[in-house]
Amino acid sequence: MKKLSEKQGLILSFIEEFIDEHDYPPSIRDIQTGCDISSTSVVSYNLDRLKENGYLNRHSEVSRGLSLSNQRDNTPEPLSMDTVAVPLLGTIAAGSPFPMPENDTWSDLSGSELIDLPQAITGTGDGVYALKVRGESMIDALISDGDLVIMEQASSVRNGQMAAVRIKSDNTTTLKHYYSEGPRTRLEPANSQMQAMTFQSQDVEVLSRVVAVWRYMG
C-alpha cells in the first residue's frame, strides 16, 4: 500500500481512536478540530487519498460516513455498495414513542417503510432501524431537522454517546447525549441554545444508540 503522508497518518490515527471511544466515526469537523487542520477541504482531500489507497471506506453522501477498511494490509479492492433494507420506525425529538419491534419480529416488518442503506453502515441489519429527526436539538452534532438517524437497538450506552431514550413517566422519547450520574441521568442536547434535562435514572430507558446519520441532498 502507498506510504502515508504525516497528515494522513495523523488523520487515520484520530479516526481509529475516535471510533474506539465513541463507537461511531468522526465528522469532517471533528477531524479538522482534533488534528488541528486549517480547513474542512484539506480534511476532505486527505480522506479521499486514504480511501483511494485502501485505508478507509467513505460514503460522501452520509454524515459521519467513514469506516476503517478491512483491506489495509492487502491490495485494496473496490468498495462494495451492497445495501440492506432497514425499517423507518417513525420520528424522534421529544414526542410520542415510536413502535419498537420485539426481538422475534425484526424479520417481519412488511408493513413498515424500508430504507436501503449501504451494508458498510448497517452490517447485517439485525436490530438496526431508522428514525426521522424532528427539531434542532442536535444541530451541533450535524444532525438537522429532517435527517434520518440510523439506530442500533441497545439497552445501555456509554456516557456521552448519542442515544434514543424513553422517559417512562410521560411515555415520550428523545434523542440526546446520555450521561448516567448515579441516581440521576442527564440528557444533553447538541445545541448551545438549549438546556440539558435531568431525570431520576429509573425514569429513563435506553432504546438504541446512533450509528450513522443519513441525509438526502436535493
Side-chain angles (χ1 to χ4, degrees), residues 175-207:
L175 182 71
K176 295 289 185 292
H177 288 292
Y178 175 94
Y179 295 90
S180 176
E181 300 172 338
R184 307 285 292 180
T185 292
R186 176 166 49 93
L187 303 178
E188 188 83 39
N191 185 328
S192 60
Q193 304 302 310
M194 296 183 178
Q195 299 296 315
M197 301 182 292
T198 304
F199 300 90
Q200 293 289 334
S201 291
Q202 64 266 27
D203 194 29
V204 178
E205 176 188 11
V206 174
L207 301 175

Side-chain angles (χ1 to χ4, degrees), residues 93-153:
S96 300
F98 46 89
M100 283 285 290
E102 300 295 333
N103 288 335
D104 59 352
T105 60
W106 277 101
S107 60
D108 183 22
L109 292 164
S110 56
S112 300
E113 181 180 351
L114 299 177
I115 307 293
D116 286 326
L117 297 171
Q119 192 173 34
I121 294 174
T122 65
T124 64
D126 293 339
V128 175
Y129 59 92
L131 295 170
K132 189 170 186 177
V133 175
R134 180 179 295 162
E136 302 288 349
S137 67
M138 303 304 288
I139 56 173
D140 292 343
L142 302 182
I143 299 177
S144 301
D145 184 67
D147 286 348
L148 297 180
V149 281
I150 313 306
M151 312 297 297
E152 182 179 44
Q153 192 175 23

Side-chain angles (χ1 to χ4, degrees), residues 35-218:
C35 297
D36 194 25
I37 295 174
S38 59
S39 70
T40 55
S41 61
V42 173
V43 175
S44 186
Y45 170 83
N46 284 282
L47 291 177
D48 286 341
R49 302 293 79 75
L50 288 167
K51 177 183 174 181
E52 287 175 3
N53 290 302
Y55 289 94
L56 285 178
N57 299 323
R58 185 185 184 197
H59 301 281
S60 58
E61 74 274 20
V62 183
S63 176
R64 301 181 184 274
L66 298 173
S67 62
L68 298 173
S69 173
N70 59 6
Q71 301 292 331
R72 290 173 57 196
D73 297 323
N74 303 291
T75 302
E77 298 178 356
L79 176 65
S80 169
M81 288 304 291
D82 290 342
T83 61
V84 173
V86 302
L88 175 61
L89 296 188
T91 62
I92 186 163
S96 300
F98 46 89
M100 283 285 290
E102 300 295 333
N103 288 335
D104 59 352
T105 60
W106 277 101
S107 60
D108 183 22
L109 292 164
S110 56
S112 300
E113 181 180 351
L114 299 177
I115 307 293
D116 286 326
L117 297 171
Q119 192 173 34
I121 294 174
T122 65
T124 64
D126 293 339
V128 175
Y129 59 92
L131 295 170
K132 189 170 186 177
V133 175
R134 180 179 295 162
E136 302 288 349
S137 67
M138 303 304 288
I139 56 173
D140 292 343
L142 302 182
I143 299 177
S144 301
D145 184 67
D147 286 348
L148 297 180
V149 281
I150 313 306
M151 312 297 297
E152 182 179 44
Q153 192 175 23
S155 58
S156 63
V157 293
R158 294 202 303 261
N159 276 359
Q161 283 189 293
M162 211 181 308
V165 302
R166 182 172 74 93
I167 310 305
K168 299 176 184 178
S169 57
D170 58 10
N171 200 30
T172 59
T173 55
T174 187
L175 182 71
K176 295 289 185 292
H177 288 292
Y178 175 94
Y179 295 90
S180 176
E181 300 172 338
R184 307 285 292 180
T185 292
R186 176 166 49 93
L187 303 178
E188 188 83 39
N191 185 328
S192 60
Q193 304 302 310
M194 296 183 178
Q195 299 296 315
M197 301 182 292
T198 304
F199 300 90
Q200 293 289 334
S201 291
Q202 64 266 27
D203 194 29
V204 178
E205 176 188 11
V206 174
L207 301 175
S208 53
R209 67 183 185 91
V210 174
V211 296
V213 181
W214 186 262
R215 178 175 299 157
Y216 291 103
M217 309 296 289

